[in-house]
Amino acid sequence: MKEPDNSRDEQGRLDTLRSLSILDTPSEQRFDRLTRMAKRMLGVPIALVSLVDDDRQWFKSCVGLSISSTPRRVSFCGHAILGNEIFIIPDTKEDERFADNPLVVGEPHIRFYAGCPLRALNGHKLGTLCIIDREPRTLDEEDRQALSDLAAMVERELAAVQLATMDELTNISNRRGFLTLAEYSLHLCSREKSPASLVFLDLDNFKPINDKCGHAEGDRALRAFAEHLKNTCRDSDLFARLGGDEFVMLLTNTSRELVEQAVGRLAQSIESYNKEASRGYDIAFSYGVVEYDPEQHHTVEQLLAEGDARMYEIKKAKR
């Protein structure tokens, strides 16, 4: 048996998946309707909307199986998300990658598999809409098109979920998306005893920008700050707009010194932007840093509250 490899940007893929807050949620008619259609239209006993997590594939919708997940290492969908086209295995027993797979030699005795990758808005492949049969078979061109069309409908439903976790103005995570991702990250830090720091950021004198220059200019300033924040952060860092003129960063496996250096780079980047943009105002910010302590910080909200308080003390001292 061949276990599936990770994608090229596996952490980014997992971050996108988890930001949806969809894993381990109850079944929903909008997804179940599409798996029922796939089962009926393509004449198979099993159809799934499968989302590939780090160590499992979890079924958001499942027709024809009584289980809700399987280990990723034995999954077919783990292979399917590595490509761009429908991944088809006409007869598993004739394919050395799957002939001795536990899902082939045991329940549900898979002999045929076809999975169409499901893409998020940012292009990451989150899982598949897949169909399974206990007998060998093939798909003709009409069948392939039907599966692709249904997968596109699943993608639209996932996009609606994803948009609920993204800030519409800045196109970075919103508060909901950040809380979900940060919970996963802090759990990992606690388990591996690695450091993490939260940086709570608030723009200085933002209201006068709106009052004097108009809300369109205020929106421009928020988008500019979000872009510089994004460019400052590493791929492994989390960042979000919490609302209004409040932003946040979560830096993991990083010392306090390196956190301060990251904030310094952000400040320098913003300073350069102010000089080049020359829009009649300067973007500036205050920040508070909280080092994560699993014994004291039991929730992400606690970290945010402490970071907010520390930021406010610094902002108050500037006045």
Side-chain angles (χ1 to χ4, degrees), residues 169-230:
L169 176 66
T170 61
N171 288 321
I172 64 175
S173 291
N174 61 16
R175 186 184 189 95
R176 178 187 177 194
F178 176 78
L179 289 174
T180 301
L181 290 174
E183 183 178 349
Y184 279 102
S185 294
L186 293 179
H187 176 73
L188 182 62
C189 289
S190 178
R191 187 175 66 193
E192 297 185 351
K193 294 181 169 44
S194 59
S197 293
L198 180 140
V199 184
F200 194 104
L201 306 114
D202 186 85
L203 299 191
D204 295 336
N205 302 313
F206 180 69
K207 187 175 183 298
I209 299 177
N210 280 328
D211 292 344
K212 296 178 181 179
C213 305
H215 287 280
E217 193 62 42
D219 289 348
R220 184 196 296 270
L222 291 170
R223 286 194 295 267
F225 186 80
E227 187 64 24
H228 286 273
L229 182 65
K230 178 180 179 181

Side-chain angles (χ1 to χ4, degrees), residues 197-202 248-249 256 259-260 263 285-291 303-304 306-312 314:
S197 293
L198 180 140
V199 184
F200 194 104
L201 306 114
D202 186 85
V248 66
M249 293 191 294
R256 176 61 183 264
V259 171
E260 294 290 349
V263 176
F285 65 92
S286 299
Y287 70 97
V289 179
V290 183
E291 294 181 76
L303 268 178
L304 285 172
E306 188 173 333
D308 187 12
R310 294 189 181 187
M311 178 280 301
Y312 181 74
I314 294 173

Side-chain angles (χ1 to χ4, degrees), residues 1 8 10 24 58-59 68 84 95 98 117 136 140 148 158 172 178 187 226 230 243 245 249 284 300:
M1 183 193 81
R8 290 184 178 179
E10 181 65 9
D24 300 307
W58 177 78
F59 308 139
S68 61
N84 296 315
D95 192 312
F98 301 101
D140 60 25
S148 294
L158 290 172
I172 64 175
F178 176 78
H187 176 73
K230 178 180 179 181
D245 57 355
M249 293 191 294
V300 182

Side-chain angles (χ1 to χ4, degrees), residues 19-30:
S19 72
L20 303 185
S21 300
I22 196 173
L23 293 171
D24 300 307
T25 57
S27 61
E28 296 181 61
Q29 186 61 223
R30 56 179 170 168

Side-chain angles (χ1 to χ4, degrees), residues 6 13-14 23 55 90 97 138 184 203 230 237 257 276:
N6 286 336
R13 192 191 70 79
L14 290 173
L23 293 171
D55 60 356
R97 296 170 296 177
T138 58
Y184 279 102
L203 299 191
K230 178 180 179 181
D237 298 333
E257 180 182 1
E276 294 175 7

